[in-house]
Each structure stands twice: as C-alpha cells, then as structure tokens.
Amino acid sequence: MEEIMAYTVLVADDEAEIRELLRLYLEKDGYQVLEAQDGAIALSLMEREEIDMVLLDIMMPKMDGYHVLKKIRENSNIPVMILSAKNHDADKILGLDLGADDYLAKPFNPMEAMARINSNIRRFYSLGAKGKELKQLQVKDLKLDTESCIVYQSGQPIDLTSVEYKLLRLFMEHPGRVFTKQQVYENVWGEEYAIADNNIMVCISRLRAKLSEDSGAYIKTIRGLGYRMEKE
C-alpha cells in the first residue's frame, strides 16, 4: 500500500528541464505535481490549490523565490525547499531565515532531492505540524464529526455504512484534490489495490445517491484520472 497519500508538490522553477526532471521523480514516488515557471504563477497556484510542499527556485522572473517564500509564510507553514544555483552560505542563510525548511544547491542529484523531499513531508505531516486533527470537517452543506463519526447535511444526519463514511471523510479531508481509483481503494479499504474498479464505483455511486439526486453534485468523476470532491 502506498505510504504517500496523494501529497501535492508545487515545483516553481523557470527552467523547464528542472521541472520535468522533478515531475518524473515525484510522480514515480506517488506525488501529484503542479508547475510554475515564475513567482507570480506560483503564488496564484498557492491561492487556488491545496499544496503540501513547495520546491522553490530563487532566480525566477516576475517575482523571485525570496519574495514568494515571504508571501507563503504569511499564511502557511507547509514545507518549502529552495533549489538554487545561488550556493553561497549567505544565500542559504537568507533562505532559511525567511522560513525555508531546506536548501539544495544546483546542480543536484535527483535522488538526493527526493530523499530530502520525502524526509520533509514525513517529518512535517507525521509529527502533526499542520495542527491537531480537525474534529469537524465541512464542505458545502456537509459536516463530518470525526469523533462521533456522523455526517450531517444541512443539519440532518445521514445514514452511511462504514465504507461510505470512510470514502466521504477521505474526500472531505482533501476537497478539490483528485484521487485515483488506486488511492481511493488503498486508503479506504486498507489493502493493496487489485482489479476492484467495480467495487469502488458501486460504493461511490451509493454514496452519491445518499447525498444528492445529481450524481456529480459533491463527488465528480474526472475522466481518465479518478474522483474529486467539489469545493463549492
């Protein structure tokens, strides 16, 4: 079973070759990847997407990595690793002082980069740096109480099976994120993914029917990719 549960990494670098190299290695390890070729696009993605870690180049057009890092730290404490050709101690100290969690000089070994990425992700999320688990999750008119394991829609409880509850909780914890069938199966059923498409589809279909007559009102099928819970 995958250890990485659909973490999303933003690669912000103006060099297309660097972005493509990192995407190749990140996706091989099970991460979802977003790309930005300049600082302005990076910040725009941060506002629109749920991102778990940022790989940040310093020398980018429109807005350099230092300014992007300062903006990120105004609202978020997610892991940020700087990837930069500026490898003097003063550059590293500045990056770390501004809030970076790690600093890797270019050119770098992609295997070392992946080891550091995995380490930062593991340390941050396994130690609960994001904060205590939320007792209540809310998306649209749905509220999920993680202590009582009850889901309410517009204040009324919904009768769900244990699998339906686990499915809904997975989606509500990550609204807007696409989960592949494999990721859904392994996180909800807790087993290695086999050929279980029908099982997943049936359970999601039943859950959708309990939530709305419109099958895509809450959980949307993304053709060729998987499923996503709509944020709004």
Side-chain angles (χ1 to χ4, degrees), residues 110-166:
M111 297 299 291
E112 180 184 357
M114 286 308 306
R116 293 194 185 197
I117 291 164
N118 289 331
S119 176
N120 276 284
I121 287 278
R122 185 168 55 248
R123 181 170 59 247
F124 185 78
Y125 293 101
S126 67
L127 293 179
K130 259 190 155 179
K132 296 181 180 179
E133 180 184 17
L134 292 174
K135 293 182 179 181
Q136 282 199 343
L137 304 172
Q138 181 162 3
V139 178
K140 294 188 175 183
D141 61 345
L142 296 176
K143 283 187 178 181
L144 186 151
D145 190 314
T146 61
E147 292 189 332
S148 65
C149 298
I150 297 175
V151 177
Y152 300 87
Q153 185 177 43
S154 299
Q156 299 299 314
I158 305 174
D159 185 20
L160 300 177
T161 67
S162 61
V163 169
E164 290 165 352
Y165 171 82
K166 290 177 183 177

Side-chain angles (χ1 to χ4, degrees), residues 32-73:
Q32 293 187 29
V33 181
L34 296 174
E35 296 182 24
Q37 63 265 37
D38 62 54
I41 293 175
L43 286 180
S44 177
L45 285 170
M46 287 290 299
E47 292 174 357
R48 302 197 317 266
E49 304 290 341
E50 185 177 348
I51 293 168
D52 300 296
M53 182 172 181
V54 180
L55 307 181
L56 187 61
D57 184 27
I58 294 301
M59 295 181 286
M60 291 189 295
K62 296 187 178 179
M63 183 180 294
D64 67 38
Y66 290 138
H67 285 89
V68 173
L69 178 57
K70 288 175 68 175
K71 288 289 186 181
I72 290 173
R73 285 294 175 251

